[in-house]
Amino acid sequence: MSRDPGRSRWLFLAACAHVFFLLPPLRTRAFALSVVLEDAEDKTEVPGLQKSEKRGTVSKRSKELKEVIFVIQSQRNSFHSKRAEDLKRDILKQTADLGKELPTVLLIHQMDRHEGAWTILPLMRDFSVAYGRNSSWIFFCEEDTRIQVVKLLEILRRFDTSKIALYIWQKGDGPHLTPVPEFCTDDVNSDKADQCATTFSNFLPLCGEPVKKEDVFVAVKTCRKFHGDRIPVVKQTWEREAALIEYYSDYRDISIPTIDLGIPNTERGHCGKTFAILERYLNHSSPRTPWLVIVDDDTLISIFRLRKLLSCYDPNEPVFLGERYGYGLGTGGYSYITGGGGMVFSRAAVQRLLASKCRCYSMDAPDDMVLGMCFSGLGIPITHSPLFHQARPMDYPKDYLSHQIPVSFHKHWNIDPVKVYFTWLAPNAEEALNGKKVEFNREDL
């Protein structure tokens, strides 16, 4: 990870109450790395850092912030980039109010095409090369983090980096996590917030009135063999939340009803069916509806919450939203939205995609990965939201889910999907997630 094993060393702090490692995504809220330099006499300037206007040298206290690189896990979508810019301005303002020299604040989406959490490990190598000589700490945080800079300084003063010599990777035996209780995942309005260096907003983003029911078109992918068990679950749970919904199958069943797209069912990958749905949405089913949601027949989703979330996004932008995974990112690959958690498209995104020549390389190609490859080639960013889930609630750490209002889960395997929906996703479940009484106990799931 370092540019020279004899010159740079790393310390990995568990600079948050909860750091989760799930594959393939890396789940983090905030954490810090120390960069220990043995060539302390090197005076190379770091671009973007400002010298004190009052004197040519700075005190140890004022220099501490100058030697911190803040890295915000930002995304190119206008909603996310604005939140990241707001956080950057807040960090710099707090620093200026303290009379300190300004730190370097970097936005990941401006540094690498694989924006967001995916770039943490690859970027550490770049930081070592570009900033390692002048920086003691690298602090990673999400765009919705709230940081008290003065408390962050108090934490970093506890650690004597000159005595630390641990590498991130050392034959599989990397540095241990150092718990720092002041790096909290509590809500900004909690009683503990005043004691925390970092806090977060644990509520569903809402940027105005939720989008209208009639502005969201829902496409459910199914096949004949699942008409009898999966579709009834949809009808018992979230179908009532959708004003516009169609079921696409390999068989026309008027009792549901389903629409036969003329695409044979495939055991793996559903690329042909998904592109047929995109064509139908744009030209036939809903020619004016600004948002399209494609889900599997075993996806559990809250359209009610999704409409709130979509109030933060501009349907005139090419938006492709959901839970992001990645393929070959270290070797020039691409990100993609996992289909099971639900894929959300703005009309502008579908128009750009279908106007291109990018299509399935086979009918049974993995549709979500092909879409990721296509959008990557078009320069359209994949927008990640941790509120969509490719798996079941019990497949995630409890603490991770306790700090969010989820939009979707996936799979009916070994669970009661109706119970999961009414526990986690139904409109009254939102009250339960905010501490009120709930009919089902989440611990049972």
Side-chain angles (χ1 to χ4, degrees), residues 221 246-252 258-264 272-278 280:
K221 294 186 302 180
E246 288 184 348
Y247 296 85
Y248 299 103
S249 181
D250 57 344
Y251 175 76
R252 183 173 177 268
T258 60
I259 296 170
D260 182 0
L261 292 170
I263 307 293
K273 179 182 290 185
T274 296
F275 270 81
I277 292 172
L278 294 171
R280 182 177 173 85

Side-chain angles (χ1 to χ4, degrees), residues 221 266-275 296 320 327 334-340 343 358-374 390:
K221 294 186 302 180
T266 54
E267 291 299 321
R268 60 174 190 175
H270 306 284
C271 196
K273 179 182 290 185
T274 296
F275 270 81
D296 293 347
F320 186 31
Y327 175 76
Y334 53 88
S335 297
Y336 63 95
I337 299 299
T338 59
M343 300 183 289
C358 193
R359 293 294 187 273
C360 306
Y361 55 82
S362 67
M363 297 297 285
D364 65 347
D367 54 351
D368 48 7
M369 297 183 73
V370 170
L371 287 168
M373 183 172 56
C374 289
Q390 171 69 13

Side-chain angles (χ1 to χ4, degrees), residues 326-351:
Y327 175 76
L329 294 181
T331 56
Y334 53 88
S335 297
Y336 63 95
I337 299 299
T338 59
M343 300 183 289
V344 182
F345 306 78
S346 66
R347 177 167 293 276
V350 178
Q351 289 171 332

Side-chain angles (χ1 to χ4, degrees), residues 84 103 433:
L433 291 170

Side-chain angles (χ1 to χ4, degrees), residues 43 102 117 124 161 198 295 308 416:
K43 306 299 182 183
L102 299 183
M124 285 194 297
T161 58
T198 61
V295 295
K308 289 185 176 182
D416 179 344

Side-chain angles (χ1 to χ4, degrees), residues 54-70:
K54 296 182 179 180
R55 57 184 184 273
T57 59
V58 294
S59 68
K60 181 177 180 181
R61 285 175 60 88
S62 65
K63 195 174 181 182
E64 286 173 342
L65 271 177
K66 178 181 177 180
E67 294 182 351
V68 177
I69 301 173
F70 290 87

